[in-house]
Amino acid sequence: MSKLPSKLPPMSAVRVFEAAARHQSFTRAAEELGMTQAAVSYQIKILEDRVGAPLFIRLPRQVRLTAKGRQLAPAVTEAFEALRNAFEGVEEMVQTVLSITTLSTFASNWLVPRLGRFRQLHPNVAVQIAVATEIVEFTQSEFDMGIRSGTGDWPGLETHVLFPNQFIPVCSPELLRGVEVQEPIDILKLPLISPSDPWWQDWFAAAGVKNVDLSRRPDNSLGVQQFEGMAAIAGQGVALINPFFFPDDLASGRLVKPFDLLATTDRSYWLVYPKARRRSAKIEAFRDWVLSEVAGDSERTVAAHVKTAT
Amino acid sequence: MSKLPSKLPPMSAVRVFEAAARHQSFTRAAEELGMTQAAVSYQIKILEDRVGAPLFIRLPRQVRLTAKGRQLAPAVTEAFEALRNAFEGVEEMVQTVLSITTLSTFASNWLVPRLGRFRQLHPNVAVQIAVATEIVEFTQSEFDMGIRSGTGDWPGLETHVLFPNQFIPVCSPELLRGVEVQEPIDILKLPLISPSDPWWQDWFAAAGVKNVDLSRRPDNSLGVQQFEGMAAIAGQGVALINPFFFPDDLASGRLVKPFDLLATTDRSYWLVYPKARRRSAKIEAFRDWVLSEVAGDSERTVAAHVKTAT
DNA sequence: GGGCTGGCATAAGGCAGCCTTATGGATCCC
DNA sequence: GGGATCCATAAGGCTGCCTTATGCCAGCCC
């Protein structure tokens, strides 16, 4: 006798009732719902049994709501209208909002500067960018896509490689003035922005310089390539950066490469998203756009190399 | 691209989502809905596929709504609340309102005078009485029960006989004053309330009086036994009435029976209702009460006969 | 008035969707 | 570290729902 939430009747039957009440006709309700008239009749009967009273009076060639039916119909229609609105709102959000988790420098030095072009291509998609320093699990977050650095073996994810994780020392042209830098080892004459960055060891190794001890150098480590690049541009020292992130600064000469030697790694930057959602229109759109931008980068890089070669 | 009403997702899944969102837990939602946790997980996944985005983030030992889920949950809960209210309202109406179609005299001279006792027995049931002169089809109306006169062969209906349709001439004692009424045929010395009533023929036949011509008498026919009884009480003539309808008037002597001869018919009064709804509590209550009242009538009738016999 | 049409009811039958059981993984807690 | 809690997933069975087919009833039209 307590106030049990009085189990709701089967929702499928309620939905059929709603349509039938609106149309005052089982046949037309069946059409709207894409099922047969017999199915509507069946579902209405289910509901009437459940409620314990007829909801329609069966007249020749038509049905009419009973008092109980009339009491029920407006509330049910209203409730379904609310549900429809709610789901439409969410579905619009699903289609138009694309949230992506990225790495800091990728966001600031690659993605954000280009986003305007994506907006022009897809004005109906709003991109929400979240910067994360650690890899974000899709199962434990609500991002649609992600930019990651790694080797690309993430089970369950669709992956697209963007460009390699490679490093080259850069600095401002002013920093080199008056300093003789002929061999890679000469770099050590200059201040390093992040001497504790392990990739320095790799670069020196690639340059044939062994046993470099950087541990005693003052560590100004900024942690984020973007800031290291900015520090280098400001003449504060030599930074080890990924040239993909500083194309304009390299092209304009704000940053110069004392040596054309790249330290490569086994890691790359990847665009990833859950395999299960690879069919989503907004995800396809963003993926295609990112890949086309990357392709443009490569062309420009090739062009730059050609120019350098001449 | 037009504004299609964007098909709603399966309602069963929505209902599960509503409970899960409220509890922030699949397990507790399953308990509420009386199903297993696996079923909840399954239905949520259905809905997420349908919506195209996750609605819950799966965290260790708990789930949390995503932004989309949070957008959806309140509206869905509200809609279901409205549905619950609507169905509760109707169900209360179903349980507490009993509508019955009756014959006019049965209502005025039998049912209404006794209804107070039913109300005392079942204060939570409100009886709505509708008087109809013709038989009302249950399939084309919304009555719970009916009082009918007939032979009781109505397919699909549960029937309970109440009392026979039988007739006896009655009049006010004043009408007999100074008139010699020894034999049935003497009735003809008195004015008849409804001489065109065919049952008069049957009564005279039962009394052994043949070929009575009442066609030339003025027809004051009132059509309704109740009124005919009232006219008789007022001394306007002899009425042919069913004694079950005038127990008090007969007991008090406001109406007297010149002869103790009943004209019987093959018809009776019946309490009927659709077989399909025979389990309804209010119907059972009303049926039991009516039958007990009828049983009381019979006892009183027997008592009266005994008294007459002594 | 007889055929035709439109609308709902009902029976039979088949398939799919839903639910259950069982298990595994992950984390929290004692 | 072991147990408990909570969710995901696979396998499998059953039931519920939908379809097809048919019937009935009443109105309509020629």
Side-chain angles (χ1 to χ4, degrees):
Chain A
M1 269 299 133
S2 75
K3 209 178 181 183
L4 285 173
S6 117
K7 274 191 183 318
L8 279 167
M11 280 300 107
S12 47
V14 179
R15 185 221 220 108
V16 171
F17 167 75
E18 193 269 340
R22 236 182 320 108
H23 290 299
Q24 299 269 334
S25 156
F26 290 6
T27 304
R28 267 168 284 163
E31 284 166 15
E32 172 182 321
L33 299 172
M35 53 199 218
T36 60
Q37 168 268 322
V40 171
S41 179
Y42 171 85
Q43 292 284 10
I44 298 288
K45 183 173 286 287
I46 296 278
L47 188 59
E48 288 177 329
D49 283 355
R50 179 65 182 63
V51 167
L55 299 171
F56 286 96
I57 307 176
R58 275 69 167 178
L59 297 171
R61 295 172 61 96
Q62 66 171 333
V63 290
R64 209 175 56 210
L65 285 166
T66 64
K68 280 140 195 138
R70 280 194 304 277
Q71 184 180 340
L72 214 43
V76 173
T77 296
E78 204 175 317
F80 274 74
E81 209 55 54
L83 286 178
R84 249 187 286 272
N85 283 338
F87 279 100
E88 274 172 15
V90 169
E91 267 161 31
E92 179 173 334
M93 185 169 160
V94 166
Q95 287 166 13
T96 61
V97 178
L98 185 142
S99 65
I100 181 166
T101 167
T102 83
L103 299 169
S104 170
T105 302
F106 186 90
S108 61
N109 285 33
W110 196 97
L111 182 55
V112 171
R114 294 156 205 255
L115 256 190
R117 288 209 281 276
F118 181 76
R119 289 236 174 81
Q120 284 181 340
L121 278 173
H122 301 281
N124 53 333
V125 177
V127 179
Q128 287 184 350
I129 294 176
V131 172
T133 53
E134 293 170 5
I135 279 188
V136 174
E137 288 299 327
F138 283 96
T139 56
Q140 302 193 2
S141 68
E142 32 185 317
F143 291 106
D144 296 307
M145 311 184 83
I147 300 291
R148 292 180 175 185
S149 165
T151 53
D153 52 341
W154 294 296
L157 297 186
E158 199 75 35
T159 60
H160 302 275
V161 69
L162 302 181
F163 44 77
N165 218 353
Q166 52 191 14
F167 298 98
I168 193 162
V170 294
C171 61
S172 75
E174 289 76 17
L175 195 73
L176 294 177
R177 201 159 295 157
V179 182
E180 192 140 344
V181 179
Q182 305 280 4
E183 301 292 325
I185 200 169
D186 296 337
I187 293 268
L188 295 174
K189 299 175 183 170
L190 303 169
L192 304 189
I193 303 276
S194 290
S196 61
D197 183 339
W199 296 121
W200 271 120
Q201 301 292 345
D202 293 288
W203 187 82
F204 280 116
V209 183
K210 303 190 174 167
N211 301 326
V212 177
D213 179 17
L214 303 172
S215 65
R216 303 243 286 277
R217 295 197 165 228
D219 188 5
N220 318 315
S221 183
L222 296 170
V224 175
Q225 255 190 79
Q226 177 199 7
F227 298 153
E228 301 190 350
M230 287 165 64
I233 291 169
Q236 296 174 15
V238 185
L240 198 57
I241 56 93
N242 188 329
F244 278 95
F245 287 148
F246 299 90
D248 296 341
D249 299 309
L250 289 167
S252 66
R254 279 190 295 276
L255 284 180
V256 296
K257 302 181 271 191
F259 305 95
D260 234 354
L261 179 68
L262 280 162
T264 60
T265 75
D266 61 344
R267 318 187 68 181
S268 295
Y269 283 89
W270 300 80
L271 176 67
V272 301
Y273 46 89
K275 272 203 170 70
R277 270 185 274 158
R278 84 179 83 100
R279 297 302 205 147
S280 158
K282 66 181 182 184
I283 286 178
E284 288 181 334
F286 194 78
R287 175 201 61 200
D288 292 346
W289 173 76
V290 167
L291 294 181
S292 75
E293 286 285 331
V294 167
D297 285 1
S298 302
E299 279 171 26
R300 280 189 289 281
T301 305
V302 170
H305 279 175
V306 170
K307 197 185 285 174
T308 308
T310 50
Chain B
M1 269 297 134
S2 75
K3 209 178 180 184
L4 284 173
S6 119
K7 274 193 181 320
L8 279 166
M11 280 301 106
S12 46
V14 179
R15 186 224 220 103
V16 171
F17 168 76
E18 193 269 339
R22 234 180 325 106
H23 290 298
Q24 298 268 336
S25 155
F26 290 5
T27 303
R28 267 168 285 163
E31 283 166 15
E32 173 182 321
L33 299 172
M35 52 198 218
T36 59
Q37 167 268 325
V40 172
S41 179
Y42 172 84
Q43 291 284 10
I44 298 288
K45 183 174 286 286
I46 296 277
L47 189 60
E48 288 177 328
D49 284 355
R50 177 67 181 63
V51 166
L55 299 171
F56 286 95
I57 307 177
R58 275 71 167 179
L59 297 171
R61 295 172 58 97
Q62 66 171 331
V63 290
R64 210 175 53 210
L65 286 166
T66 63
K68 281 138 194 140
R70 279 194 304 276
Q71 183 180 340
L72 213 45
V76 172
T77 295
E78 204 175 318
F80 274 75
E81 209 55 54
L83 285 178
R84 250 186 286 271
N85 283 338
F87 279 100
E88 274 173 16
V90 169
E91 267 163 29
E92 180 173 335
M93 186 170 159
V94 166
Q95 286 167 13
T96 62
V97 178
L98 186 142
S99 65
I100 181 166
T101 166
T102 83
L103 298 168
S104 170
T105 302
F106 186 91
S108 59
N109 286 32
W110 197 98
L111 182 55
V112 172
R114 293 156 205 255
L115 257 188
R117 288 209 282 275
F118 181 76
R119 289 236 174 79
Q120 284 182 338
L121 278 173
H122 302 280
N124 53 335
V125 176
V127 179
Q128 287 184 350
I129 295 177
V131 171
T133 53
E134 293 169 6
I135 280 187
V136 174
E137 288 299 326
F138 284 96
T139 55
Q140 302 194 1
S141 68
E142 31 186 316
F143 290 106
D144 296 308
M145 311 183 85
I147 300 291
R148 293 181 174 184
S149 165
T151 55
D153 52 340
W154 296 293
L157 297 187
E158 200 75 35
T159 60
H160 302 274
V161 69
L162 302 182
F163 45 77
N165 218 351
Q166 53 191 14
F167 298 97
I168 193 162
V170 295
C171 59
S172 76
E174 289 76 17
L175 195 71
L176 295 176
R177 202 158 296 156
V179 182
E180 192 141 343
V181 179
Q182 306 280 3
E183 301 292 323
I185 200 168
D186 296 337
I187 294 266
L188 295 174
K189 298 175 184 171
L190 302 168
L192 305 188
I193 304 279
S194 292
S196 63
D197 184 338
W199 296 121
W200 272 121
Q201 301 291 346
D202 294 288
W203 186 81
F204 279 117
V209 182
K210 299 187 176 167
N211 300 324
V212 177
D213 180 16
L214 304 172
S215 64
R216 301 242 288 280
R217 296 199 165 225
D219 187 5
N220 320 317
S221 183
L222 297 170
V224 175
Q225 256 190 81
Q226 178 200 5
F227 299 152
E228 301 188 350
M230 288 165 64
I233 291 169
Q236 294 174 15
V238 185
L240 199 57
I241 56 94
N242 189 328
F244 279 95
F245 288 148
F246 299 91
D248 296 341
D249 298 308
L250 290 167
S252 68
R254 279 191 295 275
L255 284 179
V256 296
K257 300 179 272 190
F259 305 96
D260 236 354
L261 179 68
L262 280 162
T264 59
T265 75
D266 61 343
R267 317 187 68 182
S268 297
Y269 283 88
W270 300 80
L271 175 67
V272 302
Y273 46 89
K275 272 202 169 70
R277 271 185 274 158
R278 84 180 82 101
R279 296 303 207 146
S280 158
K282 65 180 181 183
I283 286 179
E284 286 181 333
F286 195 78
R287 175 201 61 199
D288 293 345
W289 172 76
V290 167
L291 294 181
S292 76
E293 286 286 330
V294 167
D297 285 359
S298 302
E299 279 170 28
R300 280 188 290 279
T301 307
V302 169
H305 279 174
V306 170
K307 197 184 287 175
T308 310
T310 49

